[in-house]
Amino acid sequence: MDPASSEPPVDPSESRSFQRWLHKAAQVSGIGLTTDERDRDRVEVQHRRCEQWKTELLNYSPSVVFMLKHLKLSGCPVPSSNIVCAPCDLTRSGGFHPAGAIILCQGHFGDKKHMEDTLTHELVHMYDHCKFNVDWKNLRHHACSEIRANSLSGDCRYMRELGRGFVSFSKQHQACVRRRAILSVRANPMCPNEAAAERAVNEVWESCFGDTRPFDEIY
């Protein structure tokens, strides 16, 4: 008798490949996972998707590639490692740090187009910081960059506003840019109240809304 044939069969529950398959099935179905495991798996899935979309946008998005080119021409090249996918609270989709980093809030994007608009928005902030030496504690400086970023990034296109519940048939773009700029300036720690945010936006509106650099016109 073949000695191997006399060995007892392997219990499938003790097989490593079976355990891997079982975990994969649990990830897909959610069955058998603890709440912490579900949350961890969800974050991992969001991170992988964010990284994949980021890579695609850095290589193929017209607006992102254009902004990266002009940042490099301005002496501020942006390596992909400076654009980070990370979990955030759901009140924001991205952020810019003056040290030269951008965060993409990996759980906030419904589709790649949303991420594209967010990344372009933050790259406009980075361009302004590089080109114009923005003082982010100065509300007028901050307001100007927010006006430009919201106007030039695609954040205020009609369908995006419709999805937010804002519908206007007259100067919709301007209304969106103004509203979102005021909200962002209001969140500045140096801003005492909404009236100050609105005043800062109004004071720089004409010059900053008309400034489309480095684009020739509103993208």
Side-chain angles (χ1 to χ4, degrees):
M1 180 183 293
D2 184 354
S5 65
S6 64
E7 295 179 0
V10 176
D11 184 345
S13 65
E14 297 178 359
S15 164
R16 289 184 179 180
S17 60
F18 177 79
Q19 290 297 329
R20 287 196 298 269
W21 176 87
L22 196 63
H23 183 68
K24 184 66 176 178
Q27 285 181 307
V28 173
S29 66
I31 298 172
L33 295 179
T34 66
T35 300
D36 287 345
E37 288 174 329
R38 288 195 192 96
D39 289 343
R40 185 168 59 249
D41 287 343
R42 175 177 51 80
V43 169
E44 289 176 358
V45 169
Q46 290 172 345
H47 185 76
R48 288 196 299 271
R49 183 179 64 177
C50 181
E51 287 290 345
Q52 178 185 342
W53 286 354
K54 183 186 83 171
T55 299
E56 293 170 1
L57 292 173
L58 292 177
N59 287 284
Y60 304 116
S61 162
S63 60
V64 171
V65 170
F66 180 84
M67 286 303 308
L68 291 173
K69 171 187 173 183
H70 281 272
L71 277 158
K72 186 175 182 179
L73 290 173
S74 299
C76 298
V78 184
S80 62
S81 57
N82 283 30
I83 301 173
V84 180
C85 289
C88 313
D89 64 74
L90 292 179
T91 63
R92 59 190 301 176
S93 55
F96 159 71
H97 193 282
I102 288 172
I103 184 170
L104 295 172
C105 297
Q106 61 193 32
H108 193 86
F109 303 111
D111 54 45
K112 187 165 64 174
K113 186 61 183 171
H114 185 188
M115 182 187 280
E116 180 181 33
D117 293 345
T118 299
L119 181 51
T120 304
H121 179 118
E122 303 306 336
L123 287 170
V124 171
H125 284 321
M126 188 173 280
Y127 177 86
D128 287 354
H129 186 76
C130 172
K131 193 82 171 176
F132 308 124
N133 195 28
V134 175
D135 176 3
W136 297 98
K137 295 181 180 180
N138 183 313
L139 298 188
R140 296 172 82 251
H141 284 203
H142 186 187
C144 188
S145 190
E146 290 295 349
I147 290 167
R148 284 171 33 75
N150 281 292
S151 181
L152 299 174
S153 64
D155 274 335
C156 283
R157 62 168 53 90
Y158 181 80
M159 291 307 295
R160 178 59 51 78
E161 275 289 87
L162 187 63
R164 296 180 184 124
F166 294 96
V167 180
S168 175
F169 297 101
S170 176
K171 296 187 176 180
Q172 172 270 332
H173 181 77
Q174 291 93 324
C176 170
V177 171
R178 186 183 296 275
R179 186 189 75 252
R180 291 176 62 80
I182 291 171
L183 287 171
S184 294
V185 175
R186 179 65 187 93
N188 189 317
M190 303 303 294
C191 183
N193 50 51
E194 187 171 348
E198 189 170 351
R199 184 165 58 250
V201 169
N202 289 338
E203 287 174 353
V204 300
W205 176 262
E206 291 298 330
S207 60
C208 298
F209 184 76
D211 185 354
T212 63
R213 288 176 289 178
F215 297 95
D216 291 330
E217 58 185 0
I218 294 174
Y219 176 70

